[in-house]
Amino acid sequence: MIRARFLRGAATVLVATTTMFCIVTIKNEVGSLGDSLRHAYQNNTAWSRETLRRLEHMETQINNLVQSVKITDGGKGQNNEESAVKLEKKVVKKLYPNSALFTKWGEELSEEEQKEAEELYQKYGYNAFLSNKLPLNRQIPDTRDKRCLERKYPKDLPTISVVLIYLDEALSIIKRAIRSIIDKTPAHLLKEIILVDDHSSNEDLKDKLDAYISLIHEERPGLVKKVNHKEQMGLTQARISGWRAATGDVVAILDAHIEVHVEWAEPLLARIKENRTVVLTPVFDRVNFDDMKVIRYLPAADAFDWALWCMYESFRPEWYKLNDESQPGKSPSIMGILVVDRLFFGEIGVLDGGMKIYGGENVELGIRVWLCGGSIEVVPCSRIAHIERAHKPYLPDYGVVMQRNALRVAEVWMDEYKDNVKIAWNLPLKDHGIDIGDVSERKQLREKLQCKPFQWYMDNVYPQLDHWNDLVAYGVLINDLKKDLCIDQGPVPGSKPILYGCNFFVPQHCYYLTNGQIYIGGIQSHTYNRNRCLVDTGTESTPSLYDCKVAKEKGFHMYWDFKQGQGIRNRETNKCLEIAVGEDTYYHLVIQECSGQHWKIQHVIKEF
């Protein structure tokens, strides 16, 4: 027994000398060891005095080491020996203090590691440095509503083909997406995984990715297929390529920078089994681009504004009355990730192949599905963690192609509301000069499918969209006295419009309404949002901007008489919006007695 105790104690001492963060705890263990050995020595004279002397010497060394660590720690550990001793950290220079990557991550990185991480971040738009170090089968939190865990799904569900679209993704990101799909999709349901490469230049996505696929095929022969574009064709064409290659009953078209949650597929497949004409989307959870943590998102509908930029929207009131977050909710549109019966997708025209690069194709699909006999739902019991990139790979600015694609959608599907898209982009109603491509085939598809008019969509699917029926003119407002200056909303937050060099950006967009109100700084697309009205407070020599409802409540003077090329006169105060040179010799907006100045607004909808 004494020999066993000695061996255990000696092992503890050896660990203590090599494991600094446990040193205080080890010190206490050594104290106990010394007492035990002395007791053993007194009762067993066969023990060597020399052995005991050496062990006591080791104890002294441990105590000295503890004290030296306390001194390094500024003596903080002396007050609480049960706490772990904190070693002094070496100060590392922060090479990229303004980089979004290092805002809340990367404190412990060396300078060399910072350089590598920043280089990869600039290349991919997310933390590929960290991704490369994370396990491919890492555990992510189950963010489903607890009622989802209680649901049971039929065993005879349709099979699913999962399409992953990518352009120059980090290899570890794609491998993790594949691994999560295999691990979290029942084998008898997962028909195949189709990788669609839109002509990546990243060398890692060639031989190294092929080698990983070969490893997968040892486990699941033929499971992963690759489709390689010989030239860059854009997201829409990549999604169409993936659909064409699919053979499963259902096709899920996903981004490659995702990880699926447990039991992600079953609720989608069960819903499509009930109704093959429904197009589905899971709920996205956000994966932070910097620290790769998963952030739970609440279920919400997928929607858009009149410029056709995507956004999240509340479900219709009837969904909230259910008081059950696990229930599917109707959605006006869909984001880039979608799950659909493969044959039905073909019947309704897949995606518009005339779209370029990025943007608008999902809104076009959403409108078409609703108008042509289907519906769209968000399924909260299906969740996918999706990296929100800090920047995207195709273009630094998507505005140009998004504008073109939006006009294409409007021309085919929006009937008398198509002008709202032009207004949202501050384009003239006629002769905007943007080539939207040939839309005759898509118009023929609309006739073939006997689709409903867009007014039905406005009334029954997305009544939250503002009709904008009361607009008479829009664009920048310029005074004839100084044609290089435009009215601008000024600093936000703030309530003072200003004159600023004309740049034609949104802060300078103005709107004149039939009731005499003038909005400045953009116009809201939805009925539940508020615009900001130009007002004469009656007590100041300069104009102000207020939420229109607030301005009305405060009794500010917010109605103006204006004709193109003439003055802007307030109906109640009878004073005019004009420009004048201030003491600083610059022109400023003023409210004063009318002097005959003239204003012009950029685009006229109807004569006023």
Side-chain angles (χ1 to χ4, degrees):
M1 180 183 295
I2 295 174
R3 179 176 176 81
R5 181 179 294 174
F6 166 74
L7 291 174
R8 287 198 301 271
T12 304
V13 171
L14 290 174
V15 171
T17 61
T18 59
T19 313
M20 294 298 297
F21 61 82
C22 290
I23 197 165
V24 173
T25 303
I26 295 300
K27 173 183 177 292
N28 295 333
E29 292 288 335
V30 171
S32 299
L33 168 67
D35 294 338
S36 298
L37 288 174
R38 291 185 187 93
H39 179 74
Y41 176 75
Q42 292 171 359
N43 292 278
N44 191 337
T45 55
W47 277 82
S48 166
R49 293 177 182 272
E50 178 62 15
T51 299
L52 183 58
R53 186 190 67 79
R54 290 182 179 180
L55 286 171
E56 289 177 334
H57 178 65
M58 289 175 65
E59 182 180 355
T60 300
Q61 288 182 316
I62 293 294
N63 281 323
N64 290 338
L65 188 56
V66 170
Q67 292 303 317
S68 67
V69 171
K70 286 182 179 179
I71 293 170
T72 304
D73 193 39
K76 295 177 183 178
Q78 293 177 2
N79 296 327
N80 189 0
E81 290 189 350
E82 295 179 358
S83 301
V85 177
K86 296 180 181 179
L87 298 176
E88 183 179 16
K89 293 183 179 180
K90 181 180 179 181
V91 177
V92 179
K93 181 181 178 182
K94 302 305 175 188
L95 300 182
Y96 307 98
N98 298 320
S99 171
L101 179 62
F102 296 102
T103 301
K104 60 177 187 282
W105 174 85
E107 282 290 327
E108 74 289 353
L109 297 187
S110 67
E111 291 186 12
E112 198 62 35
E113 289 171 327
Q114 290 180 60
K115 290 178 182 178
E116 181 183 353
E118 178 68 12
E119 180 181 351
L120 291 173
Y121 166 65
Q122 292 299 331
K123 181 177 182 179
Y124 296 114
Y126 49 68
N127 195 342
F129 177 87
L130 176 57
S131 173
N132 295 342
K133 297 179 181 302
L134 293 173
L136 296 182
N137 63 342
R138 72 162 179 161
Q139 296 298 310
I140 58 176
D142 188 343
T143 59
R144 295 175 296 169
D145 184 274
K146 62 182 181 180
R147 284 163 287 203
C148 295
L149 280 62
E150 301 168 357
R151 297 206 171 196
K152 303 296 181 184
Y153 301 101
K155 292 185 178 180
D156 57 338
L157 291 171
T159 59
I160 188 168
S161 297
V162 181
V163 177
L164 297 178
I165 306 299
Y166 61 91
L167 170 67
D168 288 327
E169 297 277 6
L171 176 61
S172 61
I173 291 291
I174 297 178
K175 289 165 71 173
R176 187 171 295 109
I178 295 172
R179 188 71 257 168
S180 74
I181 292 166
I182 294 173
D183 291 346
K184 296 173 183 176
T185 312
H188 70 285
L189 299 178
L190 183 58
K191 181 77 171 181
E192 61 208 350
I193 299 173
I194 301 169
L195 306 180
V196 182
D197 186 339
D198 194 24
H199 199 58
S200 295
S201 59
N202 184 358
E203 289 296 323
D204 284 353
L205 301 183
K206 297 176 182 178
D207 292 345
K208 290 182 180 179
L209 180 55
D210 289 342
Y212 182 69
I213 293 172
S214 296
L215 287 176
I216 296 296
H217 287 169
E218 293 179 9
E219 173 189 351
R220 298 279 299 275
L223 180 68
V224 182
K225 301 176 182 178
K226 284 185 72 177
V227 177
N228 292 304
H229 286 177
K230 294 182 179 179
E231 61 180 359
Q232 191 179 115
M233 301 176 70
L235 285 177
T236 301
Q237 289 293 345
R239 287 166 178 153
I240 294 173
S241 296
W243 169 77
R244 285 176 178 157
T247 60
D249 301 318
V250 171
V251 59
I253 301 177
L254 316 178
D255 294 333
H257 43 275
I258 57 94
E259 296 164 75
V260 298
H261 284 271
V262 64
E263 208 171 46
W264 75 282
E266 290 90 326
L268 301 169
L269 298 175
R271 184 70 185 101
I272 289 175
K273 183 180 180 181
E274 293 174 357
N275 181 358
R276 69 183 295 267
T277 69
V278 66
V279 179
L280 304 177
T281 181
V283 172
F284 302 156
D285 288 323
R286 187 184 79 224
V287 178
N288 292 339
F289 71 86
D290 49 1
D291 61 13
M292 302 299 286
K293 291 181 179 177
V294 177
I295 307 300
R296 183 181 190 269
Y297 269 10
L298 292 174
D302 301 332
F304 56 91
D305 60 17
W306 276 120
L308 304 199
W309 289 111
C310 296
M311 55 176 284
Y312 287 118
E313 176 75 85
S314 298
F315 288 120
R316 299 292 296 274
E318 52 266 29
W319 185 85
Y320 295 97
K321 290 178 182 177
L322 296 173
N323 197 29
D324 184 355
E325 195 177 292
S326 69
Q327 294 292 334
K330 300 295 184 183
S331 181
S333 185
I334 201 161
M335 296 290 187
I337 290 177
L338 62 104
V339 183
V340 60
D341 179 281
R342 179 173 60 86
L343 296 180
F344 175 70
F345 200 35
E347 292 165 12
I348 62 168
V350 195
L351 294 170
D352 181 359
M355 296 289 189
K356 287 187 176 180
I357 302 179
Y358 177 92
E361 78 288 342
N362 51 329
V363 174
E364 189 271 347
L365 174 63
I367 294 171
R368 173 162 41 94
V369 167
W370 277 109
L371 293 182
C372 305
S375 60
I376 295 175
E377 293 178 4
V378 176
V379 181
C381 286
S382 174
R383 287 186 169 263
I384 289 181
H386 175 267
I387 298 176
E388 294 192 3
R389 293 177 186 252
H391 49 268
K392 298 181 185 294
Y394 279 97
L395 291 170
D397 179 12
Y398 286 86
V400 175
V401 292
M402 181 64 200
Q403 183 183 78
R404 181 255 182 205
N405 290 346
L407 291 172
R408 184 179 175 90
V409 176
E411 182 62 32
V412 176
W413 297 103
M414 291 188 171
D415 304 331
E416 69 269 27
Y417 290 92
K418 65 184 179 182
D419 285 346
N420 286 6
V421 176
K422 300 170 190 174
I423 293 170
W425 285 98
N426 197 37
L427 295 170
L429 299 185
K430 296 180 180 179
D431 303 323
H432 52 64
I434 297 172
D435 182 8
I436 65 172
D438 183 6
V439 296
S440 59
E441 183 180 347
R442 302 309 285 183
K443 288 186 174 181
Q444 289 171 9
L445 174 68
R446 181 175 180 179
E447 292 180 7
K448 175 186 173 182
L449 297 176
Q450 297 181 336
C451 304
K452 298 180 180 71
F454 191 73
Q455 184 65 57
W456 179 90
Y457 181 87
M458 293 285 288
D459 293 340
N460 296 280
V461 179
Y462 204 7
Q464 296 95 322
L465 278 176
D466 194 331
H467 291 205
W468 286 358
N469 290 334
D470 52 357
L471 286 178
V472 293
Y474 62 99
V476 300
L477 264 170
I478 301 176
N479 191 294
D480 283 351
L481 289 181
K482 195 65 176 167
K483 295 183 179 181
D484 60 337
L485 297 178
C486 292
I487 292 183
D488 189 293
Q489 70 178 358
V492 176
S495 61
K496 289 296 179 183
I498 61 174
L499 282 178
Y500 196 80
C502 294
N503 55 38
F504 300 90
F505 296 150
V506 172
Q508 296 183 351
H509 293 177
C510 302
Y511 304 83
Y512 186 54
L513 281 66
T514 53
N515 65 3
Q517 291 179 347
I518 297 177
Y519 301 159
I520 297 179
I523 184 172
Q524 300 295 333
S525 295
H526 301 91
T527 56
Y528 52 76
N529 286 328
R530 297 178 182 177
N531 295 287
R532 297 218 297 166
C533 280
L534 178 73
V535 302
D536 177 359
T537 63
T539 60
E540 299 175 288
S541 60
T542 56
S544 297
L545 272 180
Y546 281 90
D547 177 302
C548 298
K549 184 177 180 180
V550 172
K552 188 173 183 179
E553 291 172 350
K554 290 181 175 291
F556 292 150
H557 311 296
M558 53 190 290
Y559 300 101
W560 305 83
D561 287 326
F562 171 45
K563 291 186 177 181
Q564 182 77 312
Q566 297 186 25
I568 300 177
R569 181 191 299 266
N570 191 279
R571 291 178 183 175
E572 296 171 305
T573 66
N574 211 33
K575 291 184 177 180
C576 283
L577 175 70
E578 296 192 341
I579 66 175
V581 177
E583 294 180 0
D584 56 5
T585 72
Y586 291 105
Y587 279 94
H588 299 275
L589 287 172
V590 295
I591 298 291
Q592 64 183 18
E593 297 297 327
C594 301
S595 65
Q597 293 184 15
H598 300 156
W599 292 89
K600 286 186 178 180
I601 194 165
Q602 193 177 4
H603 306 297
V604 175
I605 299 173
K606 49 192 173 185
E607 294 301 323
F608 63 97

